[in-house]
C-alpha cells in the first residue's frame, strides 16, 4: 500500500473493515507517518461533529484531510512576501575620492558608490564645523556651484563628507576628508 484511500480511512475509523483488512491498515499506519497523521486529523475533525451521525461525514473528512496533506507536502511552507526586498543588515560607507589634500580649485566632489543606495547627501565644512554647502544627489559626483567655490579662502582648510541612504531613514557616512584650495577664484 502506498497511502490509504479516504474510503479506507473512513471504514477504519467506522470499524467496518474485516479483521484481515483492518490488520493490513494497522501495519501500514505503523510504517507510514503521513497516513497516521491523516487518520488522526480525520478522527479529530469527526470528533468535533455533533450528533450520532458524525461518522457519516468521515469519507468526506478523510478526503479533505488527504487533500490537505497533499497540498502541504507538495507546496511546502509559505514563502516570504515577494513585495519587499530583503533588509539591508550592513552597508559599506562611501569613500571620498576628490578633492583631497591641495587642489587648485574646488570644482566637483566625487566618491564611491554604495550598493543599494538611492541617494547621497554631500556637505562641505569649514574648520569650525560650519556647513558651507550641502546637497542631495543620486549620482556619485556633484559639481560645486561657482558661488561656493569662489567664497573659499586660499589660506583656509576645508572638509567634506558624503552620506549614502541605504534604507528608509538609514544612512551610512564616510569620514571627513580635508582639502585646501590654492587658487579659489581661478576660472575652471
Amino acid at each position: 500500500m502506498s497511502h490509504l484511500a479516504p474510503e479506507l480511512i473512513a471504514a477504519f475509523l467506522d470499524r467496518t473493515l474485516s479483521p484481515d483488512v483492518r490488520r493490513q491498515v494497522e501495519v501500514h499506519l505503523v510504517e507510514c507517518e503521513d497516513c497516521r497523521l491523516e487518520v488522526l486529523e480525520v478522527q479529530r475533525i469527526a470528533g468535533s461533529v455533533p450528533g450520532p451521525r458524525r461518522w457519516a461525514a468521515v469519507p468526506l473528512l478523510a478526503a479533505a484531510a488527504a487533500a490537505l496533506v497533499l497540498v502541504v507536502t507538495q507546496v511546502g511552507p509559505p514563502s516570504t512576501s515577494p513585495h519587499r526586498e530583503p533588509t539591508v543588515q550592513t552597508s559599506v560607507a562611501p569613500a571620498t575620492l576628490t578633492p583631497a589634500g591641495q587642489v587648485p580649485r574646488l570644482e566637483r566632489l566625487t566618491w564611491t558608490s554604495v550598493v543599494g543606495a538611492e541617494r547621497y547627501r554631500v556637505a562641505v565644512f569649514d574648520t569650525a564645523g560650519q556647513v558651507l554647502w550641502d546637497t542631495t544627489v543620486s549620482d556619485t559626483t556633484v559639481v560645486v556651484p561657482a558661488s561656493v567655490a569662489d567664497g573659499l579662502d586660499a589660506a583656509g582648510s576645508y572638509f567634506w563628507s558624503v552620506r549614502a541612504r541605504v534604507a528608509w531613514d538609514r544612512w551610512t557616512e564616510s569620514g571627513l576628508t580635508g582639502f585646501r584650495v590654492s587658487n579659489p577664484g581661478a576660472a575652471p
Side-chain angles (χ1 to χ4, degrees):
M1 258 184 250
S2 61
H3 285 295
L4 299 177
E7 299 81 24
L8 197 55
I9 292 174
F12 176 78
L13 290 174
D14 201 23
R15 302 189 188 283
T16 58
L17 293 175
S18 69
D20 289 339
V21 175
R22 183 166 186 81
R23 267 191 299 282
Q24 288 175 356
V25 169
E26 289 171 345
V27 168
H28 178 78
L29 289 173
V30 168
E31 297 171 356
C32 182
E33 181 181 5
D34 289 339
C35 288
R36 264 195 322 273
L37 293 173
E38 188 175 337
V39 167
L40 290 172
E41 184 65 14
V42 170
Q43 192 173 26
R44 184 189 65 77
I45 293 170
S48 67
V49 176
R53 302 219 8 114
R54 69 179 181 199
W55 293 111
V58 168
L60 180 61
L61 296 173
L68 180 64
V69 167
L70 183 63
V71 167
V72 169
T73 57
Q74 287 186 358
V75 173
S79 64
T80 58
S81 174
H83 301 292
R84 293 191 154 208
E85 291 182 19
T87 303
V88 175
Q89 298 297 323
T90 183
S91 295
V92 176
T96 57
L97 299 175
T98 60
Q102 187 76 27
V103 294
R105 177 176 166 77
L106 178 61
E107 295 176 3
R108 71 179 58 242
L109 303 169
T110 307
W111 58 92
T112 60
S113 65
V114 173
V115 174
E118 61 185 46
R119 72 177 73 158
Y120 300 91
R121 177 173 274 158
V122 187
V124 176
F125 307 92
D126 63 13
T127 55
Q130 296 286 39
V131 176
L132 302 176
W133 178 73
D134 72 335
T135 188
T136 301
V137 296
S138 59
D139 200 0
T140 58
T141 187
V142 64
V143 174
V144 178
S147 60
V148 174
D150 293 344
L152 300 179
D153 183 11
S157 293
Y158 301 95
F159 300 93
W160 73 284
S161 69
V162 60
R163 298 173 68 196
R165 182 177 177 187
V166 293
W168 172 255
D169 204 27
R170 186 163 177 267
W171 298 76
T172 181
E173 187 171 6
S174 72
L176 286 175
T177 299
F179 68 95
R180 294 174 65 88
V181 290
S182 57
N183 204 0

